[in-house]
Amino acid sequence: MIRSQYYVETFGTPEFSGPEELGTLGQWVTADIQLSPHSVLETIDLVAQAKADPGFAPEDLDGNAHTVTIGPQGVRVENHFVEHVQGDFTLDDAFRVLLDFWDYCYQAHPEKADERRRQYAEENGHDPLVGIRDSLGA
């Protein structure tokens, strides 16, 4: 069984089991990012850019069930199908959930995660995970 701080394997798929106040954020990650290490890295990178640059132009991500806007003020999650499933989250909260999901992905598919991390670093000229945990005190 795979388990990280916020995710647990249920019937072979990740399920958010973290704090209720982060539930919408956790649902977005499992529903739209899923077990795609490249997508997790991309999203972590966008959150890092938004955090580092107050002039970062908000970026919208459309997925299977959610639209997410990442900007310097935080992350806005809206569910396409359930109007009341929405929320605004800090960039630090988004980092915590995304990094934890990265940990889950790594446990589920370590070789694939390592390969995608190397590939992402080569394609983008940097590894979005370097120094992130230090900035959160994690």
Side-chain angles (χ1 to χ4, degrees), residues 27-138:
Q27 288 173 12
W28 158 61
V29 171
T30 56
D32 288 349
I33 295 177
Q34 302 175 352
L35 285 177
S36 169
H38 190 270
S39 295
V40 177
L41 292 170
E42 247 178 352
T43 309
I44 288 170
D45 204 10
L46 284 173
V47 172
Q49 290 174 42
K51 190 172 181 177
D53 180 6
F56 179 82
E59 178 103 15
D60 291 330
L61 304 175
D62 288 319
N64 296 326
H66 302 84
T67 295
V68 174
T69 303
I70 299 171
Q73 289 76 36
V75 175
R76 171 93 179 136
V77 179
E78 297 179 61
N79 187 294
H80 295 222
F81 306 106
V82 185
E83 190 174 311
H84 71 275
V85 178
Q86 59 185 323
D88 294 298
F89 304 92
T90 68
L91 294 172
D92 284 344
D93 284 342
F95 270 139
R96 283 184 186 89
V97 171
L98 288 163
L99 285 173
D100 191 70
F101 194 67
W102 172 261
D103 292 344
Y104 184 97
C105 286
Y106 192 85
Q107 289 178 62
H109 304 288
E111 297 85 16
K112 182 179 178 182
D114 279 337
E115 179 185 330
R116 295 298 185 269
R117 186 174 179 180
R118 281 191 300 277
Q119 183 181 41
Y120 191 91
E122 287 174 13
E123 290 173 1
N124 294 281
H126 67 280
D127 180 341
L129 298 178
V130 172
I132 295 296
R133 293 182 196 275
D134 297 337
S135 72
L136 291 172

